[in-house]
Every structure is written in structure tokens, then in C-alpha cells.
Amino acid sequence: MRCLLVEEEVHQFSNLVKALSGEDVSKCYQCGKCSAGCPIASEMEILPNRIIRLIQINSKDTVLSSSTIWLCASCETCFTRCPEEIDLVRVMDVLRRLSLEEGYRCPEEGILRFNRFFLASVKNYGRVHELGLMMKYNLASRQPFKDLGQGIALFRRGKIPLRPQRIKGMDQIKGIFAKSKPFLEREASGGGGR
Amino acid sequence: MARVGVFVCWCGSNIAGTVDIETVLEAARRIAEVVHVEDNKYTCSESGQQSIKKAIKEHDLDRVVVASCSPLMHEVTFRRCIESAGLNPYLLEMANLREHCSWVHRNRGEATDKAIKLIGMAVAKVRRLEPLIPIRMPVEKRALVLGGGIAGIQAALDISKAGYLVTLVERLPTIGGHMAQLDKTFPTLDCSACILTPKMGEVLHDENIELLTYSEVEEVRGWVGNFEVQIRKKARSVDMVKCTGCGECIEKCPLKLPSEWDLGLGLRKAIYRPFPQAVPGVPVIDREQCFVFTKGKEKCRACERACPADAIDFEQEDEVIKRRFGAIVVATGFSLFDEKAYGEYGGGQYKDVISALQFERMVNAAGPTGGHIIKPSNGREPRNVVFVQCVGSRDRAKGIPYCSKICCMYTAKQALLLKEHLPESQAYIFCIDIRAGGKNYEEFVNRVQSEYGAIYIRGRVSRIYERGDKLIVKGTDTLAGIPVEVEADLVVLATAIASQSDSPQLARILRIPYDEHGFFSEAHPKLRPVESVTRGIFLAGACQSPKDIPDSVATAGAAAVRVCELFASDELALEPAIALVDAERCSGCLNCLEVCPFEAIREERVDSRRVASVSESICQGCGTCAAVCRSEAITMKGFTSPQLYSQIAAPFEEILKELEVEMPSC
């Protein structure tokens, strides 16, 4: 039986989320409108409103090891409609970050891998090189021919360039990555185990 | 020959949507003695009423049938209407085409046919109606208010301020009621005593108000305008005139007993005031405990020796007071559900499981702990405090299907007070819903969560048990979908609001109806919310249904206005549609006396013969007496046998003709 533990301060997790995201989840009265509008809700094991509820009652492990926080597409439908104006997207962002920092196993490895290739591409060129990202991701996930047909169609119409194109203000991109370096390093050294 | 006008109402689409009005009008025109027929979209509207008045004048009508809704809805409206056109208001009959026809039928043809029959019946009766004149009675301009809680206090003050005399009767030795036990009040956190005690003082010093505490009503006779009431003023054993309220007697009393006012959390003496700010401040001797009464006349008498005013009077006897009142306001309040009924919550065996009212006494600075929140078991401060809502409420198995209305709010308030008194504490609140309908209520609950950190858990608690010096509260967080366990130091149960246990007895004394839960019934839930069905008796506060303080004060004010409305005229006009006994036909069996629910029938002697007689001012015209009368000596005015028989026969006129049965001519 999973139980609400009260050995530690019950607000510990919600306070942490509040400190990192600026969002006060105690305002949530569980109307469920966020989950009702979420385009990915049908894929989620734990619905977005329940994630908020679990934060309220300090169920940190359940939240940080859930797939919900990785499946969230940050489309902001929830935040746009929330009657209490809780920015769920910010909260989800913070939860993903905490999940990585504290070494929880990500149940959606594909998503994590995709995010890493995506960021690597942005780091190198200042924008995403779609062809490179697609190829890397598909090779790494051992499905090299997955998007081939679609890729060729897009390529023929000139929608995806063959070579990566570097943007002009690369120094600014470098600045952004430098700022987030401590987090990225921790993420790289952590990972797995929990 | 009568000249009857028939007015058929569409009630928008309510009637016209199901009943074919044209056909009905056609049929109505063919009825004998009907000289005018017309329809109207809304007959009750000002233009509809004008049209009736015009038709009465133009067609010289002497009787009117309005075919519209229930007489409960608009009989008074149309009576006034025809009266202003010069007709006797009782020469009106209503055919109920809405509740009795269009609303309950779908088939247009059948509904139309029924509508025609209903109008035929109404015409048959209206032709035989006779003019009635309202009965006039003088009014005794003194009000009786039962119950000295906030509702009774407010009603008494309001009536007094309008210039009328009031007698306020309270069962306990002090007025104040439950509100005097509370600490702070939601959602403004006004101190309860600070807003109540000035009103209590006002009652004491108001020259129009006679305050009878430690008193109970024993008997009520009579009727609106003239109730004769017998009140028993119990022996206080202290002379109210001599006593200065110094309290020396209380100091010297050697007996220490659990205090009812503090719900067992504190002690009182055998001579006591429930609380220091009691009104009146005169103490009372508990005759069931005091040594003088339990052990013998010469025992103890410490209070008597201590009293500098020589006010102690062990010989005092109950006093029976009789008074006449024109109106009665019932404000007898509520009691609390006994949490012992929940064995799964310990059934009263755990000291640290307390009721919300006990918590209220504890957090009150004038309470038994001086405002300190402690575990009753060991006097230590609690850290984790679990509040359990709906203990009794919304629990059909415990006989209370209704919501007690105030618990969500007072629990939120108590969680807030807990945090203010003990900043290190944590409140957990188990609830089914949070019902916070009221001005600034929802905002208050939100504040308790976001500013005071109370954790709400949606779900009923299944069990409470002891583990070491902690209490384990088991429940399910239905929002998170997980079972939960909270380790509590103190558990507070929000027990349901119930009616006073003896409310049915009081209802019988007053002859007012009450519901299956013992709450007194109002005459109409929306339009007459503070009137009982019995004329001249009004309801205020939680004796009618669970109410918070604002609602209690509001209903008290409303009841007071109703009383003043009665007192504003010197005479009362009473409904003339009542029973009349024909003494010559009466056999004197007095079955009617037995069945009358209003005790309106008394025995009389006419030429040395025993006969029944009806008190015109008490009779409510229910007709029960007429139904049991074997010699048909009782006539219901406005519902005489000839009137009713012809009404019943009307739809069968043709069949009766065919069968060659004579129409009852009466």
C-alpha cells in the first residue's frame, strides 16, 4: 500500500516546485479541466490534474518517475484554460528537470534521447538541422528507415536542407548553453540508478 | 340565474402548449349560465387582471372562473382582483389547467378534453358558491420568542425596536446559545463574544423585553392574535432581585462537576454560571448535585454563608407564568450529532478524538484551557491535527441524508485558528466536498489552503485507531487515487447539525408540523420561509434547518417583520372558509373533537343537549371534522356538500342522463 507519509514536512515537495517554477499548486481545486483539454491525456498513465494532486500531498517519487511529465508536449492548452491560472507547463518543466537531477529513471527513453539530439543540434548550429536530427534519432533507436518516405518527399520540395545551416548570432547561443552548463553537466554525470 | 365569466389562461406555453385553447373556449361558451368567455396569455399579469375587471363590469358578471394554475399559486391574486371590481372575493373558483392537466399530460386531444371537464366542474361549483365575509379578531400585541440563541435574541430585539412587547423564554440559565460557545466566526474572524455579548446585554436592559431564563413553555392554547401560553420558570434557588452577581457563592462551593457548557473539557461548581459573561449573571443551583438537595437540608450551605446579599434560597419553587401573546417566534436552535455512533472512529473511547464544538471551547480564550490547543490525554501541544468532516452528515446509514451546511466553513476556520495558535502544527482535512457557498466563503477556504497550508484530502475516513501515543487516521485520497494514512496527535470530528431531541414534543405543544429529522416545517420553502403552517407562529434560525450565523440573523429579522406585520393592525382578518356546526343536526358524538388537528372544536350545551362547536379563529378549514360527522351536521363554508357534489357530477352529466339517474340537485 502506498501511503501518504507525514514523517517529513507535507509541503516539502510543493514548496520545492514553487521555488523552482513560481507556481503555487495549493491553489488547484481539482476541477480537471487541464486533463480534459490535454491532447495527450489518453496516452498518460497519470493525468495532469492528478500530477498536481500528488505534488500537493508530497508524493514525490510517483510524480518524478511518471511518464506523464515526459509525454507533456508543452502545448499550454492546460495553462490557457486553468481557472486558477496555474502554469502547468512551467511545473512540468521543473518536474522533468528534478527527475533528471535526482536520477529518476525516465520511462520514456525515446523522448529523452530525442531531446538530447535536439539540443545538440541547437548547440552546434543555433537551430535544428532536421535531417541530421532525424537520422541520428532513427539510427540510435534502431529504426533507420522509419521516416524515409516522408523525408524524401520533404527534401524534394526543398523543405529540409541537406546541409546544416548555422545562424548568425552563434555567440548568443553559446551564452545560453554556458549559463545552463552546470545543469547539463549534472544531468550527464547523473542518470539512472533510482 | 348566475352570470359566470370564464377566463382561460395560456400561461405562455405552459398550458397552451398542450391544451388547445380555441376548443376549450368553444366548449366553455356552451356551458349553462356562462355569459362571457375569454383567453389571455398571462391572466395573472396586470393586463390580464384588468381584463377580468373590465369583463365583470361590461357583462355584469356575478361569479368568476379562472382556468389557469393551482389555487395555491394565484387564488389570492384573483380574489383580490374580483374584489376590486366589486364582487365578493369568495365568488371565485379556479380550474387548475396547469398542474392538474397540461403539465401531467402529453396527448393534446385528451388534455384538451380534460381541461374542458375541469372548467365544467369549476362552473358547476361556482354557480352554487355563496359570498363569505372574513372573521375579524382583536390582536394581543405581545410576542413570545422561544429560544435565546442568536436567532431568538435578534428576533426579540427587532420586535422590541418596532415598539412591541416581547417575552423571551430560554431553557438554559443564560441566553447566548451556541454562538456564545464559539471562538471566532467565519469568514471574517470576528470574535463571537465581541459581537454577541453586547446584544445579550441589550436584551437584558430593553424595557420592552421580558427575559425568562431557566424557563420552558408547557402549554399553548388559542390561536393567532390570542395565544394563551403557560411557562414554567424553574427554581433557580437564587433570588434574582437580591443577587448582585458577585460570584462569592461559586467560589465557596466545594463540588466540582464536569461543565456541560465546556462539553466535559472543564469543571463547574454545583452553584454556577455557564460562563462568566452569562446573561443574566445570576448563578443557578444544580439541584441534582448540590449537597443540600442530595444529602440533606443541614448539609454544606457554603454558598448561603458566602452570599453577602442573602440571595440564596433553597426553598424557592418553580413558578408557573400565564400570558397572552399575539404571535410566537420559534428559535429553539439545534443539537449536535453524537459521534459515539461511529465505532470506527473510536466511539468516544479515545481522549484525543474530540468534537468540533470541543475544539471551539478549547481555542476560545474564555474556555477551559484558556485558549490553548492541547491533547486532552496529556496536555501537550499537538503537531498533526486531522479534521474529519461529515461525521453524521450525508450519511444515510446514520439517518442523516442532509448536508449540515456549516461544517465545511467552521472546519476551514478551525484549521486557520490552529495554525495561528500553533505555527508548527499541520492541519489535514478529510472532506467529501468543500461546500463554501456564501459571501467570501470560497475565498476563505482558498486562503486556508494557500496561506495556512491546510491539506484537504477528498474522501471519508474509514477508521481511527491508536498506535502508541498517536492516532492513525486511515482514508483514501480519491483525487490521487491512493489510500492514505495520517499519523495524528489530535482528531477533530465535525459532527452533524441535528434538531433538538425534544423538538417533536414542542411541535405538538405549538401544533406546528416538523419534518422526518425533527426540524420545523415552513409554510412554503421559497415564498414563506419563516412562517410555520400554523398562523401566527414563525420560525427563526437552525430549528428549521442547519443555518450559519448570517442566515440565522436574517431569518430572525424576517420572522420579526412578520410579527410586526400582524401587530400593525388592531384586528386580524381570518379566512372564512371554515367549519360550521348545525347544532340542531349535531348528535353530540364529538368524533369531530377527537379528529380535529387544531383543537378547534369544543363541547357546548345547547338546550341542555351536548353539541360540538367550532372556534372560528382556530379552525383552519381542513375539513376532517366534516368527513367524520355521521349526521352531516358540519358544513365547510366554500366547500359545502351541494357545491362539491355538483362539481363532481359535472363531467358525468351526459352519462347520468343516459342512465336516467337524476343529477344531485342538493
Side-chain angles (χ1 to χ4, degrees):
Chain A
M1 186 169 98
R2 286 179 299 171
C3 284
L4 170 62
L5 300 172
V6 291
E7 286 123 39
E8 59 183 26
E9 224 268 302
V10 71
H11 297 288
Q12 201 171 46
F13 191 36
S14 59
N15 283 343
L16 179 65
V17 171
K18 189 176 178 180
L20 294 173
S21 67
E23 296 301 314
D24 180 3
V25 298
S26 75
K27 289 192 296 183
C28 174
Y29 50 52
Q30 291 291 310
C31 69
K33 202 177 180 190
C34 49
S35 302
C38 177
I40 315 172
S42 59
E43 306 299 319
M44 290 172 172
E45 197 185 333
I46 300 174
L47 293 177
N49 68 300
R50 198 168 273 192
I51 291 284
I52 300 295
R53 178 63 194 155
L54 289 166
I55 300 172
Q56 286 177 341
I57 59 167
N58 214 26
S59 281
K60 187 176 167 186
D61 286 346
T62 318
V63 171
L64 295 186
S65 54
S66 75
S67 61
T68 300
I69 59 175
W70 296 102
L71 291 172
C72 167
S74 305
C75 70
E76 297 207 332
T77 307
C78 49
F79 174 39
T80 313
R81 294 176 181 174
C82 176
E84 285 290 320
E85 298 182 307
I86 298 170
D87 190 341
L88 244 78
V89 182
R90 269 171 175 268
V91 172
M92 290 292 182
D93 236 4
V94 162
L95 295 177
R96 283 191 287 267
R97 177 179 154 188
L98 285 171
S99 175
L100 290 176
E101 276 187 341
E102 305 204 1
Y104 284 86
R105 199 187 69 82
C106 171
E108 298 289 341
E109 280 179 11
I111 293 173
L112 192 55
R113 192 179 298 133
F114 182 88
N115 289 352
R116 281 182 184 144
F117 290 139
F118 185 97
L119 279 177
S121 184
V122 172
K123 192 178 179 185
N124 285 336
Y125 311 116
R127 52 163 295 174
V128 171
H129 176 230
E130 292 88 349
L131 189 63
L133 173 64
M134 232 159 36
M135 281 166 62
K136 271 188 191 168
Y137 178 73
N138 285 346
L139 283 172
S141 51
R142 298 196 182 117
Q143 41 183 359
F145 306 114
K146 186 172 161 260
D147 302 314
L148 195 62
Q150 203 177 16
I152 290 170
L154 286 168
F155 178 70
R156 276 199 183 137
R157 288 180 194 175
K159 298 289 183 194
I160 45 172
L162 203 56
R163 289 161 180 276
Q165 291 167 324
R166 194 164 268 132
I167 64 158
K168 280 176 191 166
M170 273 308 287
D171 47 336
Q172 285 172 21
I173 296 290
K174 270 190 188 147
I176 294 170
F177 275 88
K179 255 189 181 171
S180 51
K181 204 178 167 192
F183 170 68
L184 291 173
E185 276 173 0
R186 253 182 292 145
E187 194 218 325
S189 64
R194 187 114 172 195
Chain B
M1 287 283 280
R3 295 183 62 80
V4 181
V6 175
F7 298 83
V8 182
C9 182
W10 292 42
C11 196
S13 64
N14 275 303
I15 294 170
T18 315
V19 170
D20 185 49
I21 302 288
E22 260 321 305
T23 314
V24 170
L25 294 173
E26 274 306 307
R29 286 194 188 101
R30 288 199 295 271
I31 305 173
E33 295 179 47
V34 171
V35 296
H36 176 71
V37 176
E38 68 172 66
D39 61 332
N40 202 303
K41 285 264 164 64
Y42 293 100
T43 312
C44 59
S45 68
E46 187 50 36
S47 68
Q49 294 189 45
Q50 285 303 337
S51 162
I52 295 178
K53 287 181 206 168
K54 212 174 112 203
I56 291 174
K57 297 244 157 72
E58 278 181 10
H59 301 279
D60 197 20
L61 305 177
D62 58 11
R63 275 154 172 71
V64 168
V65 168
V66 179
S68 57
C69 49
S70 160
L72 274 179
M73 188 80 192
H74 276 312
E75 191 171 52
V76 173
T77 313
F78 292 123
R79 273 184 183 164
R80 278 193 198 126
C81 168
I82 69 167
E83 187 176 23
S84 74
L87 288 189
N88 181 286
Y90 294 90
L91 296 176
L92 167 86
E93 190 61 29
M94 287 184 78
N96 188 348
L97 299 196
R98 196 176 72 172
E99 286 87 341
H100 285 180
C101 187
S102 67
W103 276 0
V104 290
H105 297 299
R106 289 217 186 105
N107 185 303
R108 200 173 170 82
E110 286 173 7
T112 305
D113 191 42
K114 179 169 173 184
I116 292 167
K117 289 205 161 83
L118 287 172
I119 290 174
M121 292 169 75
V123 172
K125 186 179 173 205
V126 85
R127 278 156 54 187
R128 289 179 162 77
L129 285 182
E130 282 154 25
L132 299 175
I133 310 291
I135 303 152
R136 304 213 152 262
M137 298 293 289
V139 181
E140 178 76 39
K141 295 187 182 183
R142 177 191 270 273
L144 169 66
V145 177
L146 291 180
I150 181 60
I153 288 173
Q154 187 67 43
L157 289 173
D158 287 351
I159 296 167
S160 150
K161 276 179 195 144
Y164 301 112
L165 298 175
V166 183
T167 298
L168 176 60
V169 174
E170 165 60 47
R171 167 152 64 178
L172 296 182
T174 175
I175 55 169
H178 279 108
M179 188 174 168
Q181 290 175 291
L182 310 181
D183 181 38
K184 289 180 177 165
T185 54
F186 62 78
T188 47
L189 298 178
D190 289 303
C191 149
S192 193
C194 310
I195 56 177
L196 177 67
T197 46
K199 278 187 187 289
M200 291 161 61
E202 226 180 298
V203 167
L204 190 66
H205 298 117
D206 192 315
E207 286 184 354
N208 282 345
I209 301 178
E210 174 193 33
L211 178 59
L212 300 177
T213 51
Y214 212 44
S215 303
E216 281 186 80
V217 165
E218 286 190 326
E219 195 183 280
V220 175
R221 304 184 74 82
W223 52 86
V224 56
N226 288 284
F227 292 105
E228 286 167 36
V229 182
Q230 184 175 307
I231 302 160
R232 178 172 294 270
K233 199 173 174 215
K234 286 178 275 183
R236 210 176 181 103
S237 315
V238 179
D239 189 316
M240 298 212 37
V241 180
K242 287 184 188 164
C243 173
T244 60
C246 70
E248 288 288 330
C249 52
I250 302 171
E251 288 283 310
K252 294 292 184 305
C253 177
L255 258 172
K256 282 184 181 169
L257 305 157
S259 155
E260 297 87 354
W261 192 257
D262 292 329
L263 299 118
L265 290 175
L267 298 171
R268 66 161 169 87
K269 301 292 185 65
I271 182 166
Y272 69 105
R273 270 190 292 251
F275 62 107
Q277 298 77 26
V279 169
V282 179
V284 57
I285 292 178
D286 179 350
R287 290 192 170 185
E288 282 176 15
Q289 301 291 342
C290 171
F291 288 143
V292 177
F293 296 93
T294 57
K295 295 197 170 165
K297 283 202 169 159
E298 298 319 309
K299 294 282 183 297
C300 190
R301 298 182 94 101
C303 51
E304 192 177 40
R305 286 194 299 278
C307 180
D310 193 24
I312 306 289
D313 180 4
F314 293 109
E315 310 299 325
Q316 202 180 58
E317 281 179 14
D318 288 4
E319 195 184 332
V320 174
I321 300 168
K322 281 191 178 176
R323 289 229 194 304
R324 291 173 82 84
F325 299 100
I328 300 174
V329 176
V330 187
T332 46
F334 64 95
S335 69
L336 287 162
F337 177 81
D338 187 358
E339 68 267 25
K340 288 188 189 74
Y342 280 89
E344 63 269 44
Y345 298 170
Q349 64 169 314
Y350 304 132
K351 276 190 172 171
D352 295 336
V353 177
I354 61 173
S355 74
L357 195 54
Q358 284 179 313
F359 184 90
E360 206 68 52
R361 293 306 298 150
M362 218 195 257
V363 78
N364 192 322
T369 59
H372 294 294
I373 301 169
I374 52 163
K375 283 161 68 90
S377 63
N378 60 13
R380 288 206 199 111
E381 286 180 357
R383 187 183 173 280
N384 288 329
V385 179
V386 172
F387 294 88
V388 183
Q389 290 189 181
C390 291
V391 177
S393 312
R394 302 175 74 186
D395 192 336
R396 223 170 272 278
K398 296 281 186 287
I400 303 184
Y402 57 85
C403 164
S404 291
K405 198 177 172 189
I406 65 169
C407 327
C408 285
M409 288 309 296
Y410 75 61
T411 302
K413 175 203 71 182
Q414 293 186 341
L416 181 147
L417 294 178
L418 169 73
K419 195 73 179 172
E420 283 199 335
H421 282 242
L422 305 172
E424 292 304 309
S425 67
Q426 174 62 50
Y428 295 87
I429 301 169
F430 282 88
C431 61
I432 309 178
D433 294 301
I434 306 172
R435 296 188 168 174
K439 193 171 180 176
N440 289 321
Y441 286 13
E442 175 74 12
E443 296 92 319
F444 182 82
V445 174
N446 289 344
R447 248 177 73 209
V448 170
Q449 290 174 75
S450 51
E451 286 174 38
Y452 292 84
I455 296 282
Y456 274 82
I457 303 168
R458 194 197 174 281
R460 258 192 212 274
V461 166
S462 69
R463 205 179 146 216
I464 299 168
Y465 59 93
E466 267 181 329
R467 188 192 287 159
D469 64 342
K470 302 271 188 189
L471 290 154
I472 307 299
V473 183
K474 281 185 64 156
T476 290
D477 185 328
T478 58
L479 294 171
I482 56 173
V484 294
E485 246 179 32
V486 182
E487 218 177 56
D489 301 300
L490 183 67
V491 178
V492 183
L493 306 178
T495 46
I497 302 286
S499 61
Q500 295 278 18
S501 58
D502 55 355
S503 66
Q505 284 93 295
L506 181 62
R508 274 195 283 278
I509 291 174
L510 293 167
R511 299 190 303 271
I512 58 172
Y514 55 97
D515 67 16
E516 70 266 45
H517 307 297
F519 291 111
F520 302 130
S521 307
E522 60 285 330
H524 188 285
K526 294 173 185 71
L527 302 178
R528 294 167 70 194
V530 297
E531 295 165 59
S532 82
V533 175
T534 306
R535 265 194 86 189
I537 301 187
F538 306 95
L539 309 173
C543 65
Q544 183 201 10
S545 66
K547 283 189 180 63
D548 60 10
I549 296 166
D551 280 1
S552 295
V553 172
T555 50
V561 170
R562 289 275 170 262
V563 170
C564 296
E565 186 188 351
L566 267 182
F567 290 180
S569 45
D570 297 326
E571 278 189 333
L572 275 180
L574 299 176
E575 184 63 37
I578 55 166
L580 181 71
V581 180
D582 179 349
E584 290 195 6
R585 284 189 105 167
C586 178
S587 68
C589 72
L590 296 181
N591 278 345
C592 52
L593 190 147
E594 296 292 320
V595 297
C596 176
F598 302 97
E599 294 177 32
I601 298 180
R602 56 178 192 275
E603 189 184 322
E604 231 180 42
R605 293 259 153 202
V606 172
D607 305 333
S608 77
R609 227 162 36 87
R610 189 172 75 163
V611 294
S613 166
V614 177
S615 299
E616 289 186 326
S617 43
I618 309 178
C619 176
Q620 301 289 312
C622 72
T624 315
C625 54
V628 297
C629 182
R630 291 183 291 201
S631 37
E632 288 196 31
I634 301 182
T635 306
M636 298 306 301
K637 291 192 225 164
F639 297 90
T640 62
S641 298
Q643 289 163 2
L644 293 179
Y645 288 148
S646 61
Q647 185 179 19
I648 295 165
F652 309 108
E653 212 169 330
E654 281 169 26
I655 304 172
L656 291 171
K657 260 184 207 158
E658 251 172 57
L659 295 173
E660 292 177 1
V661 176
E662 239 180 84
M663 281 281 285
S665 58
C666 312

